[in-house]
Amino acid sequence: MNSLVYHIVSGQAFFTGILLIVVAVLLSKHPKGLLRRGASGAFVLATAAIALSSTPLPIWAYTIAIVVTVIWIVSHYIESWHRWAATATIAVWLLAAALEIPFHITPSLKAAADRKVLVVGDSVTAGTGSDDASETWPSILAREHQLVVQDISHVGETAASALKRAKLQETSAAVVIVEIGGNDVLGSTTAKQFAEDLDALLSHLTEGESSEDRQVIMFELPLPPLSHPFGYAQRTAAKKYGVKLIPKRAFLSVLADNHSTLDTIHLSQAGHRSMADCVWRLISSAY
């Protein structure tokens, strides 16, 4: 995977954009004209980086940040505004960074009540049936770590179809791993429909007699540019049901190795091996 693509899709570009905004603000009134002109370039790059990162901050946070930034731009023509507008712009974007940082911290699990694991996923988990990926990562996880893994992943799965499949299963797994949503984002599902479907899926996975000790973790979706609503829907549902989100970089770190994929998305056997290692690092604290 191209390093620039990784930087954007992992969400790291959001922080780069904020850094560039701070640089632009600091340079905007520099006495040297060349540096002042550099501020414009830094601001354009910052805007692109933040937009392309598809970081799903709350709408209110983006609204405040944009309004304050616009006031800062206007303050170049109203001298008396400039100092406080510049300070406010830096402060509001640093606040935005502080709101986003928790989603880049890998969650940990408490001790699990049993060694049962339920995996809900799409073809990234189920595989494509290719001979190049004969053993999927849930199978590797079960074999190498003495886990009882119930894998109900399926090719082409969406949040809606995953719910239908999950309702047909009986499970008492203490740990549930959700890798779903890629087909929704890349397919015809609207963000509104995805939000409803994911809400229903997580509601189902976190309810029932055995749900009190159940821990659900979900891979946060690496999003294409300007796909904020899907990420916002995922974070909203995760918060509502106490589901722990796995930072985007965890999945992307597997895809970043060119030997790990068959087509830049679906995993090769080496990819399933890497994914199994990645998932074990995420859930090992439970065992």
Side-chain angles (χ1 to χ4, degrees), residues 37-282:
R37 288 193 291 272
S40 298
F43 183 74
V44 170
L45 289 175
T47 302
I50 291 172
L52 292 176
S53 72
S54 290
T55 300
L57 281 185
I59 295 174
W60 64 263
Y62 270 126
T63 301
I64 292 173
I66 291 171
V67 169
V68 171
T69 304
V70 170
I71 292 174
W72 167 69
I73 293 172
V74 172
S75 76
H76 287 76
Y77 305 97
I78 306 176
E79 187 65 31
S80 61
W81 288 15
H82 187 77
R83 177 169 293 182
W84 69 261
T87 301
T89 300
I90 291 176
V92 76
W93 282 107
L94 290 179
L95 174 60
L99 291 173
E100 179 61 17
I101 284 174
F103 294 99
H104 292 256
I105 298 174
T106 303
S108 60
L109 302 182
K110 63 183 181 182
D114 57 48
R115 299 189 71 83
K116 297 178 182 178
V117 177
L118 173 66
V119 179
V120 180
D122 51 32
S123 54
V124 170
T125 296
T128 60
S130 168
D131 291 338
D132 292 329
S134 57
E135 187 179 26
T136 61
W137 66 261
S139 298
I140 297 173
L141 205 62
R143 174 171 55 80
E144 294 191 349
H145 301 288
Q146 296 76 55
L147 299 175
V148 179
V149 178
Q150 183 180 5
D151 180 14
I152 63 170
S153 58
H154 195 270
V155 176
E157 202 81 297
T158 62
S161 61
L163 173 61
K164 293 178 182 178
R165 200 176 307 279
K167 285 182 175 180
L168 298 176
Q169 309 293 323
E170 290 187 8
T171 181
S172 58
V175 174
V176 179
I177 304 169
V178 181
E179 179 277 302
I180 209 76
N183 290 314
D184 292 283
V185 174
L186 300 176
S188 58
T189 308
T190 64
K192 181 177 182 296
Q193 186 62 54
F194 174 66
E196 294 174 0
D197 294 341
L198 185 64
D199 184 278
L201 174 62
L202 295 186
S203 175
H204 176 75
L205 293 176
T206 54
E207 68 181 11
E209 295 180 3
S210 60
S211 64
E212 183 175 344
D213 296 321
R214 181 175 298 162
Q215 301 176 84
V216 182
I217 61 174
M218 177 168 59
F219 283 92
E220 188 166 19
L221 292 169
L223 296 172
L226 306 178
S227 298
H228 301 68
F230 287 92
Y232 185 71
Q234 195 177 31
R235 289 185 178 182
T236 300
K239 181 179 180 180
K240 180 178 179 179
Y241 296 105
V243 173
K244 296 184 178 182
L245 281 176
I246 303 166
K248 301 173 187 179
R249 70 173 187 279
F251 180 38
L252 285 175
S253 66
V254 175
L255 299 184
D257 185 344
N258 292 331
H259 299 292
S260 291
T261 65
L262 302 172
D263 53 10
T264 71
I265 296 178
H266 297 99
L267 302 177
S268 64
Q269 189 59 65
H272 280 284
R273 166 77 271 169
S274 295
M275 190 69 166
D277 292 340
C278 171
V279 173
W280 177 246
R281 287 193 294 272
L282 292 167

